[in-house]
Amino acid sequence: MHYTLCDMIADITANSVEAGATHITLECIQTRDALDVTVADNGKGMSSETLVKAEDPFFTDGKKHPNRKVGLGIPFLIQTAEETDGSWDIQSVPGKGTTVTMKFNLANIDTPPVGNLPDLFLDVLTLPGNYDMDIHRTDNAAGLDYTVNRNELKDALGGELESAESQILLRKFIESQEV
């Protein structure tokens, strides 16, 4: 299993980048007892047959990671959701993209810790690739509701997010949205 829910969300989001998506939406809606997450992309999508196979931890298409014999992201998502009174859903259309919906019951004692959402956002915004991303974060208990856009952030930081200086500024900006 992943150590935190953020680790799992990062893995699923990285799948979108690796699937060639040019636009990804990551939505995290948190309440006192729940974290609802949606990752939607316009990547290559999956057939219904591939979607069924993706639930098997011993399935990999061999293309994304040629030497890997397993694909654990989706199986870990399924296991975590089902064992902690959460839920999951994956909708995908070849050539159109994929939407993964995850609902985690934070009141269940077996649910992994959420982790650090600002760090998650920094991690997924700086994944290598040519894509745009919208991140929408809502935390009803903390009174948070904000959206950030990767291309707008890149423009504000001089066209790149890879340098240490840009990442420091990006971290400060994301953290400032959390207050």
Side-chain angles (χ1 to χ4, degrees):
M1 277 197 156
H2 292 86
Y3 179 68
T4 68
L5 297 178
C6 284
D7 295 331
M8 187 175 308
I9 298 163
D11 184 53
I12 298 298
T13 307
N15 288 346
S16 293
V17 174
E18 293 167 353
T22 58
H23 190 267
I24 302 162
T25 301
L26 169 58
E27 182 175 53
C28 296
I29 301 171
Q30 190 171 357
T31 64
R32 191 173 62 82
D33 292 331
L35 177 63
D36 295 351
V37 179
T38 302
V39 179
D41 69 52
N42 67 348
K44 65 181 180 181
M46 294 180 276
S47 68
S48 56
E49 295 82 17
T50 302
L51 250 155
V52 170
K53 290 178 183 177
E55 295 177 26
D56 179 353
F58 299 104
F59 168 77
T60 182
D61 65 8
K63 296 175 187 168
K64 186 167 64 171
H65 303 286
N67 297 321
R68 192 178 291 173
K69 303 292 184 220
V70 296
L72 298 175
I74 292 172
F76 277 154
L77 163 63
I78 294 167
Q79 179 184 16
T80 301
E82 289 180 351
E83 291 182 359
T84 60
D85 302 319
S87 63
W88 63 277
D89 184 58
I90 303 173
Q91 300 293 317
S92 192
V93 177
K96 299 284 185 185
T98 302
T99 299
V100 179
T101 305
M102 308 164 250
K103 297 179 184 281
F104 300 105
N105 178 358
L106 301 179
N108 186 304
I109 193 168
D110 292 324
T111 300
V114 171
N116 187 311
L117 286 167
D119 281 351
L120 164 69
F121 301 153
L122 178 65
D123 289 347
V124 298
L125 286 166
T126 58
L127 288 168
N130 187 20
Y131 60 94
D132 193 15
M133 181 182 292
D134 290 307
I135 296 176
H136 183 195
R137 160 107 155 103
T138 303
D139 184 334
N140 295 333
L144 297 175
D145 189 13
Y146 65 88
T147 301
V148 296
N149 174 271
R150 184 175 192 261
N151 282 347
E152 290 175 5
L153 293 168
K154 281 178 71 171
D155 288 345
L157 293 170
E160 59 86 25
L161 299 175
E162 292 78 26
S163 72
E165 181 181 11
S166 289
Q167 289 188 19
I168 289 167
L169 292 171
L170 182 56
R171 176 181 300 283
K172 286 181 180 179
F173 175 74
I174 292 170
E175 288 173 349
S176 75
Q177 302 301 301
E178 292 285 317
V179 291

